[in-house]
Amino acid sequence: MKLQRMNRRALSLGALAVSGALALTACGSDDNGSSSGSSSSSSATAAAGSIKCDDAKGQLLADGSSAQKNAIDAWVKNFTQACNGVQVNYKGSGSGAGVTAFTQGQIAFAGSDSALKDDAVAASKSVCSGGQGIDLPMVAGPIAVAYNVEGVDNLVLDASTIAKIFNGKITNWNDEAIKKLNPTAKLPDQKIQPYHRSDESGTTDNFTKYLIATAKTDWPYSGGKAWQAKGGQSAAGSSGVAQGVKSTPGAIGYMELSYAKDGLGTVAVNTGAAAPVKASSDGATKAVAAAQVVGTGSDLSLKLDYNTKADGAYPLTLVTYEIVCDKGNKAATLPATKAFLRYIASTDGQGILSGIDYAPIPDAIISKVRTTIEGLS
């Protein structure tokens, strides 16, 4: 018996990549996709006594945003230590893939860095019997503009300069526009190598929403999850972009702050505030605190102010939503779905985020999320 418990616990601690006839899903069946992302969960500790397992059991399949993958890994570790009858498999293969899998009934919930579009809501009604997919804001995160330029430690850029770099209009690190923002920096005569996502991504959607809102003249694109500008290098997932920037001298790319590690510099954004603002958990929370809830009914999708000039507010921030059926969840997985979402929305679940380079959702919004989770059926 002890050996069986140890085996179950060992299985629950991994980023599980399993499928099969016993896999339980919220609105359908069968596994999908492949695993991606990396875990930053070792720094988080479980408050096991505060996690309510209820009748949760079996395997919970989920997919979507790679932006929140490190947060999900930390949450899964804590949750499955407390509820060792549940296996949570979150693949993190991108927001677009997650929404597709959810609307096809393959997973219990999806993570997306963009709220559901009308066509996805319509598609979800076929798998959420008597209900539809809704957006629950669960984790915020600054999108860091990370760079690999030797000898440059405190790079400042503004929205226009960022747009021109990623649109191929500024191509060298000693360009006059960059010099003007960094008068004391030793900028090299080096080609800029911009990296963007190759897959459909909510991170791309939010990054380009920021450029459209703040530098429309320099970013003449409609935006969306697919990258639209020409040129540059591409890589799959936030981890792929991070690796590309790390391995390429002169590179720059956009990624969640939790991926901007191992010697990468991060840009301080000149927003017009008293001082340029670097990507940080506190800065992201300040930005989200000014967001408006624009969803209707149980949906809690938000509208962010990308033009904020508030001191310390970091405007290049995304919110990742957990997408779930408000009604019509499969009875076999509903207890596990609610138990897991209840934990990650709790004070303890939100409390681990700042320590792993994410930002908790402000109290006024997360309290509404908690109420909505209890009403899932």
Side-chain angles (χ1 to χ4, degrees), residues 95-122:
S95 296
V99 171
T100 297
F102 178 77
T103 58
Q104 292 178 349
Q106 298 175 342
I107 54 177
F109 69 90
S112 177
D113 306 320
S114 302
L116 289 170
K117 305 297 185 185
D118 290 344
D119 58 345
V121 172

PDB file of all heavy atoms in Angstrom, residues 95-122:
ATOM      1  N   SER A  95      -2.203  29.310 -26.710  1.00  0.00           N
ATOM      2  CA  SER A  95      -3.599  29.711 -26.498  1.00  0.00           C
ATOM      3  C   SER A  95      -4.516  29.233 -27.618  1.00  0.00           C
ATOM      4  O   SER A  95      -5.626  28.752 -27.365  1.00  0.00           O
ATOM      5  CB  SER A  95      -3.688  31.235 -26.383  1.00  0.00           C
ATOM      6  OG  SER A  95      -3.001  31.713 -25.259  1.00  0.00           O
ATOM      7  N   GLY A  96      -4.060  29.374 -28.863  1.00  0.00           N
ATOM      8  CA  GLY A  96      -4.889  28.956 -29.985  1.00  0.00           C
ATOM      9  C   GLY A  96      -5.205  27.477 -29.943  1.00  0.00           C
ATOM     10  O   GLY A  96      -6.356  27.063 -30.145  1.00  0.00           O
ATOM     11  N   ALA A  97      -4.187  26.666 -29.648  1.00  0.00           N
ATOM     12  CA  ALA A  97      -4.391  25.221 -29.555  1.00  0.00           C
ATOM     13  C   ALA A  97      -5.330  24.874 -28.407  1.00  0.00           C
ATOM     14  O   ALA A  97      -6.161  23.967 -28.514  1.00  0.00           O
ATOM     15  CB  ALA A  97      -3.053  24.514 -29.374  1.00  0.00           C
ATOM     16  N   GLY A  98      -5.200  25.596 -27.301  1.00  0.00           N
ATOM     17  CA  GLY A  98      -6.050  25.324 -26.150  1.00  0.00           C
ATOM     18  C   GLY A  98      -7.510  25.616 -26.434  1.00  0.00           C
ATOM     19  O   GLY A  98      -8.399  24.827 -26.092  1.00  0.00           O
ATOM     20  N   VAL A  99      -7.786  26.763 -27.040  1.00  0.00           N
ATOM     21  CA  VAL A  99      -9.171  27.118 -27.360  1.00  0.00           C
ATOM     22  C   VAL A  99      -9.768  26.119 -28.339  1.00  0.00           C
ATOM     23  O   VAL A  99     -10.918  25.685 -28.197  1.00  0.00           O
ATOM     24  CB  VAL A  99      -9.241  28.558 -27.913  1.00  0.00           C
ATOM     25  CG1 VAL A  99     -10.640  28.853 -28.466  1.00  0.00           C
ATOM     26  CG2 VAL A  99      -8.877  29.566 -26.827  1.00  0.00           C
ATOM     27  N   THR A 100      -8.988  25.719 -29.342  1.00  0.00           N
ATOM     28  CA  THR A 100      -9.473  24.721 -30.303  1.00  0.00           C
ATOM     29  C   THR A 100      -9.801  23.404 -29.617  1.00  0.00           C
ATOM     30  O   THR A 100     -10.866  22.807 -29.859  1.00  0.00           O
ATOM     31  CB  THR A 100      -8.427  24.489 -31.406  1.00  0.00           C
ATOM     32  OG1 THR A 100      -8.234  25.706 -32.141  1.00  0.00           O
ATOM     33  CG2 THR A 100      -8.884  23.403 -32.368  1.00  0.00           C
ATOM     34  N   ALA A 101      -8.901  22.940 -28.752  1.00  0.00           N
ATOM     35  CA  ALA A 101      -9.138  21.681 -28.040  1.00  0.00           C
ATOM     36  C   ALA A 101     -10.375  21.781 -27.150  1.00  0.00           C
ATOM     37  O   ALA A 101     -11.150  20.827 -27.031  1.00  0.00           O
ATOM     38  CB  ALA A 101      -7.908  21.308 -27.214  1.00  0.00           C
ATOM     39  N   PHE A 102     -10.571  22.938 -26.526  1.00  0.00           N
ATOM     40  CA  PHE A 102     -11.737  23.112 -25.656  1.00  0.00           C
ATOM     41  C   PHE A 102     -13.026  23.085 -26.461  1.00  0.00           C
ATOM     42  O   PHE A 102     -13.987  22.385 -26.097  1.00  0.00           O
ATOM     43  CB  PHE A 102     -11.618  24.430 -24.887  1.00  0.00           C
ATOM     44  CG  PHE A 102     -12.792  24.719 -24.008  1.00  0.00           C
ATOM     45  CD1 PHE A 102     -12.947  24.064 -22.796  1.00  0.00           C
ATOM     46  CD2 PHE A 102     -13.766  25.635 -24.402  1.00  0.00           C
ATOM     47  CE1 PHE A 102     -14.058  24.309 -21.988  1.00  0.00           C
ATOM     48  CE2 PHE A 102     -14.865  25.895 -23.605  1.00  0.00           C
ATOM     49  CZ  PHE A 102     -15.014  25.233 -22.389  1.00  0.00           C
ATOM     50  N   THR A 103     -13.076  23.825 -27.564  1.00  0.00           N
ATOM     51  CA  THR A 103     -14.310  23.873 -28.353  1.00  0.00           C
ATOM     52  C   THR A 103     -14.579  22.565 -29.084  1.00  0.00           C
ATOM     53  O   THR A 103     -15.705  22.326 -29.536  1.00  0.00           O
ATOM     54  CB  THR A 103     -14.265  25.041 -29.364  1.00  0.00           C
ATOM     55  OG1 THR A 103     -13.128  24.894 -30.214  1.00  0.00           O
ATOM     56  CG2 THR A 103     -14.194  26.371 -28.641  1.00  0.00           C
ATOM     57  N   GLN A 104     -13.559  21.707 -29.189  1.00  0.00           N
ATOM     58  CA  GLN A 104     -13.764  20.366 -29.759  1.00  0.00           C
ATOM     59  C   GLN A 104     -14.068  19.329 -28.687  1.00  0.00           C
ATOM     60  O   GLN A 104     -14.220  18.145 -28.992  1.00  0.00           O
ATOM     61  CB  GLN A 104     -12.524  19.946 -30.551  1.00  0.00           C
ATOM     62  CG  GLN A 104     -12.319  20.764 -31.822  1.00  0.00           C
ATOM     63  CD  GLN A 104     -11.065  20.369 -32.583  1.00  0.00           C
ATOM     64  OE1 GLN A 104     -10.223  19.614 -32.084  1.00  0.00           O
ATOM     65  NE2 GLN A 104     -10.917  20.881 -33.792  1.00  0.00           N
ATOM     66  N   GLY A 105     -14.142  19.775 -27.427  1.00  0.00           N
ATOM     67  CA  GLY A 105     -14.512  18.868 -26.348  1.00  0.00           C
ATOM     68  C   GLY A 105     -13.431  17.906 -25.924  1.00  0.00           C
ATOM     69  O   GLY A 105     -13.713  16.854 -25.368  1.00  0.00           O
ATOM     70  N   GLN A 106     -12.157  18.245 -26.146  1.00  0.00           N
ATOM     71  CA  GLN A 106     -11.075  17.330 -25.836  1.00  0.00           C
ATOM     72  C   GLN A 106     -10.490  17.523 -24.444  1.00  0.00           C
ATOM     73  O   GLN A 106      -9.755  16.659 -23.965  1.00  0.00           O
ATOM     74  CB  GLN A 106      -9.958  17.487 -26.879  1.00  0.00           C
ATOM     75  CG  GLN A 106     -10.398  17.146 -28.303  1.00  0.00           C
ATOM     76  CD  GLN A 106      -9.304  17.430 -29.326  1.00  0.00           C
ATOM     77  OE1 GLN A 106      -8.357  18.166 -29.043  1.00  0.00           O
ATOM     78  NE2 GLN A 106      -9.435  16.850 -30.505  1.00  0.00           N
ATOM     79  N   ILE A 107     -10.755  18.662 -23.807  1.00  0.00           N
ATOM     80  CA  ILE A 107     -10.119  18.983 -22.533  1.00  0.00           C
ATOM     81  C   ILE A 107     -11.129  19.576 -21.561  1.00  0.00           C
ATOM     82  O   ILE A 107     -12.187  20.070 -21.953  1.00  0.00           O
ATOM     83  CB  ILE A 107      -8.951  19.978 -22.720  1.00  0.00           C
ATOM     84  CG1 ILE A 107      -9.407  21.226 -23.475  1.00  0.00           C
ATOM     85  CG2 ILE A 107      -7.793  19.303 -23.444  1.00  0.00           C
ATOM     86  CD1 ILE A 107      -8.337  22.296 -23.646  1.00  0.00           C
ATOM     87  N   ALA A 108     -10.778  19.538 -20.279  1.00  0.00           N
ATOM     88  CA  ALA A 108     -11.659  20.046 -19.233  1.00  0.00           C
ATOM     89  C   ALA A 108     -11.685  21.563 -19.202  1.00  0.00           C
ATOM     90  O   ALA A 108     -12.728  22.180 -18.987  1.00  0.00           O
ATOM     91  CB  ALA A 108     -11.208  19.506 -17.868  1.00  0.00           C
ATOM     92  N   PHE A 109     -10.536  22.174 -19.351  1.00  0.00           N
ATOM     93  CA  PHE A 109     -10.477  23.632 -19.427  1.00  0.00           C
ATOM     94  C   PHE A 109      -9.277  24.029 -20.264  1.00  0.00           C
ATOM     95  O   PHE A 109      -8.350  23.243 -20.463  1.00  0.00           O
ATOM     96  CB  PHE A 109     -10.417  24.276 -18.033  1.00  0.00           C
ATOM     97  CG  PHE A 109      -9.134  24.043 -17.285  1.00  0.00           C
ATOM     98  CD1 PHE A 109      -8.060  24.925 -17.400  1.00  0.00           C
ATOM     99  CD2 PHE A 109      -8.983  22.940 -16.450  1.00  0.00           C
ATOM    100  CE1 PHE A 109      -6.876  24.712 -16.701  1.00  0.00           C
ATOM    101  CE2 PHE A 109      -7.805  22.713 -15.751  1.00  0.00           C
ATOM    102  CZ  PHE A 109      -6.743  23.605 -15.877  1.00  0.00           C
ATOM    103  N   ALA A 110      -9.319  25.270 -20.759  1.00  0.00           N
ATOM    104  CA  ALA A 110      -8.228  25.794 -21.575  1.00  0.00           C
ATOM    105  C   ALA A 110      -7.657  27.035 -20.910  1.00  0.00           C
ATOM    106  O   ALA A 110      -8.355  27.749 -20.187  1.00  0.00           O
ATOM    107  CB  ALA A 110      -8.721  26.140 -22.975  1.00  0.00           C
ATOM    108  N   GLY A 111      -6.371  27.296 -21.173  1.00  0.00           N
ATOM    109  CA  GLY A 111      -5.759  28.552 -20.781  1.00  0.00           C
ATOM    110  C   GLY A 111      -5.563  29.402 -22.017  1.00  0.00           C
ATOM    111  O   GLY A 111      -5.073  28.920 -23.033  1.00  0.00           O
ATOM    112  N   SER A 112      -5.980  30.676 -21.945  1.00  0.00           N
ATOM    113  CA  SER A 112      -5.811  31.553 -23.101  1.00  0.00           C
ATOM    114  C   SER A 112      -5.446  32.950 -22.631  1.00  0.00           C
ATOM    115  O   SER A 112      -6.024  33.474 -21.687  1.00  0.00           O
ATOM    116  CB  SER A 112      -7.090  31.617 -23.932  1.00  0.00           C
ATOM    117  OG  SER A 112      -6.940  32.534 -25.013  1.00  0.00           O
ATOM    118  N   ASP A 113      -4.495  33.557 -23.329  1.00  0.00           N
ATOM    119  CA  ASP A 113      -4.074  34.916 -23.015  1.00  0.00           C
ATOM    120  C   ASP A 113      -4.955  35.952 -23.693  1.00  0.00           C
ATOM    121  O   ASP A 113      -4.689  37.150 -23.588  1.00  0.00           O
ATOM    122  CB  ASP A 113      -2.612  35.120 -23.438  1.00  0.00           C
ATOM    123  CG  ASP A 113      -1.701  34.069 -22.821  1.00  0.00           C
ATOM    124  OD1 ASP A 113      -1.908  33.727 -21.655  1.00  0.00           O
ATOM    125  OD2 ASP A 113      -0.796  33.588 -23.526  1.00  0.00           O
ATOM    126  N   SER A 114      -5.965  35.496 -24.384  1.00  0.00           N
ATOM    127  CA  SER A 114      -6.970  36.389 -24.979  1.00  0.00           C
ATOM    128  C   SER A 114      -8.344  35.819 -24.662  1.00  0.00           C
ATOM    129  O   SER A 114      -8.530  34.597 -24.624  1.00  0.00           O
ATOM    130  CB  SER A 114      -6.802  36.484 -26.500  1.00  0.00           C
ATOM    131  OG  SER A 114      -5.517  36.951 -26.844  1.00  0.00           O
ATOM    132  N   ALA A 115      -9.292  36.704 -24.435  1.00  0.00           N
ATOM    133  CA  ALA A 115     -10.655  36.253 -24.160  1.00  0.00           C
ATOM    134  C   ALA A 115     -11.254  35.598 -25.401  1.00  0.00           C
ATOM    135  O   ALA A 115     -10.827  35.845 -26.532  1.00  0.00           O
ATOM    136  CB  ALA A 115     -11.509  37.437 -23.721  1.00  0.00           C
ATOM    137  N   LEU A 116     -12.228  34.742 -25.183  1.00  0.00           N
ATOM    138  CA  LEU A 116     -12.882  34.045 -26.285  1.00  0.00           C
ATOM    139  C   LEU A 116     -13.518  35.018 -27.269  1.00  0.00           C
ATOM    140  O   LEU A 116     -14.185  35.976 -26.874  1.00  0.00           O
ATOM    141  CB  LEU A 116     -13.974  33.116 -25.738  1.00  0.00           C
ATOM    142  CG  LEU A 116     -13.523  31.867 -24.983  1.00  0.00           C
ATOM    143  CD1 LEU A 116     -14.718  31.206 -24.319  1.00  0.00           C
ATOM    144  CD2 LEU A 116     -12.815  30.889 -25.908  1.00  0.00           C
ATOM    145  N   LYS A 117     -13.321  34.754 -28.556  1.00  0.00           N
ATOM    146  CA  LYS A 117     -14.001  35.504 -29.598  1.00  0.00           C
ATOM    147  C   LYS A 117     -15.412  34.934 -29.776  1.00  0.00           C
ATOM    148  O   LYS A 117     -15.735  33.839 -29.311  1.00  0.00           O
ATOM    149  CB  LYS A 117     -13.232  35.413 -30.919  1.00  0.00           C
ATOM    150  CG  LYS A 117     -11.772  35.841 -30.831  1.00  0.00           C
ATOM    151  CD  LYS A 117     -11.616  37.292 -30.457  1.00  0.00           C
ATOM    152  CE  LYS A 117     -10.147  37.711 -30.496  1.00  0.00           C
ATOM    153  NZ  LYS A 117      -9.953  39.096 -30.015  1.00  0.00           N
ATOM    154  N   ASP A 118     -16.245  35.694 -30.475  1.00  0.00           N
ATOM    155  CA  ASP A 118     -17.647  35.281 -30.633  1.00  0.00           C
ATOM    156  C   ASP A 118     -17.777  33.909 -31.276  1.00  0.00           C
ATOM    157  O   ASP A 118     -18.648  33.110 -30.889  1.00  0.00           O
ATOM    158  CB  ASP A 118     -18.407  36.320 -31.463  1.00  0.00           C
ATOM    159  CG  ASP A 118     -18.617  37.628 -30.716  1.00  0.00           C
ATOM    160  OD1 ASP A 118     -18.453  37.634 -29.472  1.00  0.00           O
ATOM    161  OD2 ASP A 118     -18.944  38.649 -31.368  1.00  0.00           O
ATOM    162  N   ASP A 119     -16.935  33.623 -32.283  1.00  0.00           N
ATOM    163  CA  ASP A 119     -17.057  32.330 -32.955  1.00  0.00           C
ATOM    164  C   ASP A 119     -16.678  31.182 -32.028  1.00  0.00           C
ATOM    165  O   ASP A 119     -17.267  30.091 -32.087  1.00  0.00           O
ATOM    166  CB  ASP A 119     -16.216  32.294 -34.229  1.00  0.00           C
ATOM    167  CG  ASP A 119     -14.736  32.573 -33.992  1.00  0.00           C
ATOM    168  OD1 ASP A 119     -14.385  33.073 -32.907  1.00  0.00           O
ATOM    169  OD2 ASP A 119     -13.923  32.283 -34.894  1.00  0.00           O
ATOM    170  N   ALA A 120     -15.711  31.411 -31.137  1.00  0.00           N
ATOM    171  CA  ALA A 120     -15.327  30.370 -30.192  1.00  0.00           C
ATOM    172  C   ALA A 120     -16.417  30.160 -29.143  1.00  0.00           C
ATOM    173  O   ALA A 120     -16.671  29.025 -28.714  1.00  0.00           O
ATOM    174  CB  ALA A 120     -14.003  30.723 -29.525  1.00  0.00           C
ATOM    175  N   VAL A 121     -17.066  31.243 -28.708  1.00  0.00           N
ATOM    176  CA  VAL A 121     -18.184  31.110 -27.768  1.00  0.00           C
ATOM    177  C   VAL A 121     -19.292  30.289 -28.416  1.00  0.00           C
ATOM    178  O   VAL A 121     -19.862  29.372 -27.791  1.00  0.00           O
ATOM    179  CB  VAL A 121     -18.719  32.493 -27.346  1.00  0.00           C
ATOM    180  CG1 VAL A 121     -19.996  32.345 -26.518  1.00  0.00           C
ATOM    181  CG2 VAL A 121     -17.670  33.246 -26.533  1.00  0.00           C
ATOM    182  N   ALA A 122     -19.590  30.583 -29.679  1.00  0.00           N
ATOM    183  CA  ALA A 122     -20.636  29.831 -30.387  1.00  0.00           C
ATOM    184  C   ALA A 122     -20.275  28.357 -30.497  1.00  0.00           C
ATOM    185  O   ALA A 122     -21.107  27.471 -30.271  1.00  0.00           O
ATOM    186  CB  ALA A 122     -20.862  30.432 -31.776  1.00  0.00           C
TER     187      ALA A 122
END
